[in-house]
């Protein structure tokens, strides 16, 4: 068992039963492994969930890297927003983890979640928005987007339409197309 395997099992378990009901026993039960093999990689549940968070941010970053940005294009914010929404729709396990992470007592220290939004930040800075306001907008965007997608995917069981994506983009960033 390696760290990536454990992380993927944690995400699967969280999606199936929520973070608070995810137990070490459940994570290990699929492959009939002992807790010792898990604690070989992670010294605590907190460290395990931090690794899941790190993995999740990496997956989001990789997804956003695929967006081809145009120089000085207002459409870049739309392209990035659309890709992030599509990513969360494809990886609803990571979306659910991000939602649960915000209120989790398992992860004690704060983690800088704006890393994966650096591409958004660069686009906003082109518009002349100062760094403090940019960070505030990114936090509001991330939290709001996760809540919108949670409601859409897990409650209404539907994906967002192109029109809804444009409305979200314009709500957070202004004109996007």
């Amino acid at each position: 068992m390696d760290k990536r395997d454990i992380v993927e099992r944690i995400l699967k378990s969280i999606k199936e039963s929520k973070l608070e009901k995810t137990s070490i026993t459940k994570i290990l039960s699929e492959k009939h492994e002992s807790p010792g093999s898990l604690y070989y990689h992670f010294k605590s549940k907190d460290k395990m969930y931090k690794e899941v968070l790190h993995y999740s941010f990496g997956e989001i970053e990789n997804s956003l890297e695929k967006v081809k940005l145009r120089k000085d294009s207002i459409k870049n914010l739309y392209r990035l927003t659309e890709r992030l929404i599509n990513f969360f729709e494809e990886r609803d396990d990571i979306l659910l983890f991000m939602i649960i992470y915000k209120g989790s007592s398992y992860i004690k220290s704060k983690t800088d979640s704006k890393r994966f939004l650096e591409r958004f930040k660069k686009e906003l800075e082109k518009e002349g928005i100062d760094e403090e306001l940019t960070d505030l907008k990114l936090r509001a965007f991330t939290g709001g987007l996760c809540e919108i997608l949670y409601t859409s995917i897990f409650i209404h069981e539907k994906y967002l339409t192109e029109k809804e994506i444009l409305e979200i983009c314009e709500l957070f960033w202004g004109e996007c197309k």
Side-chain angles (χ1 to χ4, degrees):
M1 166 172 39
D2 64 7
K3 280 187 175 183
R4 184 178 177 97
D5 182 46
I6 295 167
V7 165
E8 289 172 359
R9 284 200 252 163
I10 291 169
L11 285 169
K12 180 181 175 188
S13 180
I14 288 169
K15 184 176 175 180
E16 291 172 356
S17 62
K18 309 285 187 240
L19 181 63
E20 288 73 21
K21 295 179 182 174
T22 299
S23 69
I24 303 300
T25 306
K26 182 171 176 135
I27 292 165
L28 296 171
S29 67
E30 276 183 23
K31 297 195 178 179
H32 308 288
E33 297 186 38
S34 71
S37 61
L38 184 71
Y39 287 111
Y40 171 79
H41 294 291
F42 305 103
K43 302 301 179 215
S44 68
K45 204 170 192 178
D46 184 53
K47 293 200 185 307
M48 246 185 352
Y49 289 123
K50 283 181 183 175
E51 184 68 27
V52 175
L53 189 63
H54 178 73
Y55 170 84
S56 298
F57 288 156
E59 291 293 295
I60 295 167
E61 289 167 11
N62 291 340
S63 178
L64 290 177
E65 285 297 318
K66 296 174 185 171
V67 177
K68 301 230 186 294
L69 299 179
R70 296 193 179 121
K71 192 172 184 170
D72 299 325
S73 173
I74 197 155
K75 292 182 179 182
N76 287 344
L77 286 169
Y78 175 79
R79 286 187 190 100
L80 289 167
T81 301
E82 179 183 45
R83 181 63 221 134
L84 187 58
I85 288 169
N86 290 337
F87 171 82
F88 280 132
E89 288 176 342
E90 294 162 10
R91 292 295 309 269
D92 59 358
D93 56 338
I94 290 177
L95 170 65
L96 188 58
F97 177 76
M98 299 293 284
I99 292 282
I100 293 169
Y101 160 73
K102 289 188 336 185
S104 174
S105 60
Y106 291 111
I107 301 172
K108 295 174 184 75
S109 63
K110 295 205 178 231
T111 304
D112 188 350
S113 62
K114 70 181 179 179
R115 281 184 346 175
F116 70 88
L117 293 171
E118 285 300 314
R119 295 188 125 212
F120 283 93
K121 189 171 184 175
K122 288 176 188 171
E123 292 304 311
L124 289 171
E125 287 172 346
K126 285 182 187 175
E127 303 294 320
I129 301 171
D130 69 57
E131 188 171 343
E132 191 173 311
L133 183 57
T134 298
D135 288 341
L136 179 63
K137 285 185 93 167
L138 289 173
R139 283 192 303 275
F141 171 69
T142 305
L145 184 61
C146 285
E147 295 293 334
I148 290 166
L149 289 171
Y150 177 82
T151 302
S152 178
I153 295 168
F154 291 102
I155 296 175
H156 298 298
E157 298 177 346
K158 73 172 202 78
Y159 293 135
L160 298 177
T161 64
E162 187 174 334
K163 181 181 177 199
E164 291 168 323
I165 293 171
L166 181 59
E167 288 172 0
I168 290 168
C169 186
E170 289 177 347
L171 173 71
F172 284 104
W173 312 123
E175 184 182 347
C176 288
K177 275 196 164 193

